[in-house]
Amino acid sequence: MLHFLIYLAAVGHVTHNVIPAASLTVSPSSSQLFKGEFVSLSCEEDDSSAGWTLRRNTSRETRAECGVKWGKPAGSVCIISYIVPLDSGVYWCESREGATSNSISITVTGGSMILQSPVSLQLVFRLICYVTMFCLYFTSTLLMVSLYRDRPTGSDPPVSTGMTPPTLTEQGLADDCDDVITC
């Protein structure tokens, strides 16, 4: 019984000093972002009294706080209105006591946007055309191979591939085919 009371006292003491957890969320919900996008990062916390701050590590900064050289703080939210490749890095929430939330790695590319709309009718039409053409080509090739393979070979004369030397007329050396004009 004494052990049970000591355990309860220890558990009560430990839970009293536990810092409430925060969770970092990114909107849009993607770790791959494109240059120029609007990004919102928020520390969703169980207890707002913990004082969570959003931080990041990039190739140029370490433990940089939102609002100092990057982002615009708005309560527990940090807004990046125009994200660039230099904003690529690891982001997390940190309390005044030093506790940290989950971290999220964000990569920003300078390339063009990926089509995020439903598949267009033009794309479907192109795909159908390509598949149709491939099937026609494949079918005609199979037909030609099967006809060549099944050709009769018994009494057919072989095709000659030997060459005979050209005649004088074919070479243009015959007397009656002289094209040289003399004066």
Side-chain angles (χ1 to χ4, degrees):
M1 179 74 172
L2 183 59
H3 293 307
F4 180 73
L5 289 176
I6 293 172
Y7 175 75
L8 282 179
V11 170
H13 179 67
V14 170
T15 57
H16 177 67
N17 291 333
V18 170
I19 298 168
S23 175
L24 174 62
T25 57
V26 180
S27 179
S29 179
S30 174
S31 61
Q32 177 72 52
L33 300 170
F34 296 94
K35 179 181 176 181
E37 283 190 305
F38 176 90
V39 180
S40 170
L41 302 123
S42 62
C43 295
E44 296 178 357
E45 49 198 299
D46 295 335
D47 181 13
S48 61
S49 64
W52 294 92
T53 303
L54 196 91
R55 296 190 180 276
R56 76 178 185 181
N57 286 340
T58 64
S59 60
R60 295 171 32 165
E61 304 168 306
T62 303
R63 296 191 69 242
E65 183 178 334
C66 175
V68 180
K69 295 186 180 180
W70 70 276
K72 183 178 180 182
S76 62
V77 177
C78 185
I79 296 170
I80 304 174
S81 57
Y82 190 91
I83 200 161
V84 294
L86 288 175
D87 290 318
S88 296
V90 178
Y91 292 76
W92 74 94
C93 300
E94 187 173 297
S95 73
R96 286 184 291 240
E97 291 80 13
T100 59
S101 70
N102 60 309
S103 62
I104 296 178
S105 178
I106 294 177
T107 304
V108 182
T109 57
S112 59
M113 287 280 257
I114 293 174
L115 180 65
Q116 294 178 347
S117 62
V119 177
S120 70
L121 188 59
Q122 183 182 14
L123 184 63
V124 171
F125 178 74
R126 279 185 173 178
L127 183 63
I128 291 171
C129 287
Y130 288 137
V131 169
T132 304
M133 293 306 291
F134 174 77
C135 288
L136 289 172
Y137 174 77
F138 184 74
T139 305
S140 65
T141 304
L142 281 178
L143 182 63
M144 288 172 39
V145 167
S146 66
L147 289 174
Y148 180 78
R149 185 184 54 193
D150 294 338
R151 74 184 191 286
T153 57
S155 62
D156 293 341
V159 176
S160 173
T161 57
M163 293 184 61
T164 57
T167 63
L168 291 175
T169 306
E170 291 172 339
Q171 291 180 5
L173 299 176
D175 291 332
D176 56 342
C177 296
D178 193 6
D179 291 340
V180 178
I181 300 175
T182 57
C183 298

